[in-house]
Amino acid sequence: MFVMELTYIAPVEAVEEEMDAHVAWLDGHYAAGVFLASGRKVPRDGGVILAGGVSRAEIEKIASGDPFVVAGVCTYRITEFLATKTSADLAAVRENPVT
């Protein structure tokens, strides 16, 4: 599983100009079953996406296609982790590490 942390590198007004395209991009990855949750950080200097079911290379490719990245208004920090314990609602994405 991945935590995708977005950090805005442009004024929020520039981010807002790309918001419709970014939301459409999000919707596509939710429909594909890759994105599990997303939202704005508080304070509003970026956002966070939880994603799973793909490789590190694929998640980096997905991030590079975000309209925010293409427009140069954000950068990503991607952290991979093993979700070994989850709520019942996220049981489908639980992972068992190989020891």
Side-chain angles (χ1 to χ4, degrees), residues 24-95:
W25 172 85
L26 287 169
D27 290 345
H29 292 292
Y30 273 107
V34 175
F35 289 173
L36 305 170
S38 61
R40 294 177 179 169
K41 291 192 292 185
V42 178
R44 188 176 178 197
D45 60 2
V48 174
I49 301 168
L50 295 181
V54 295
S55 69
R56 175 79 185 206
E58 184 63 19
I59 209 69
E60 288 175 358
K61 181 179 175 185
I62 288 169
S64 71
D66 181 346
F68 282 175
V69 171
V70 174
V73 300
C74 92
T75 60
Y76 272 90
R77 184 178 90 173
I78 299 171
T79 303
E80 185 171 5
F81 74 102
L82 295 174
T84 56
K85 188 164 183 69
T86 67
S87 69
D89 292 336
L90 292 176
V93 298
R94 257 184 233 144
E95 299 171 287

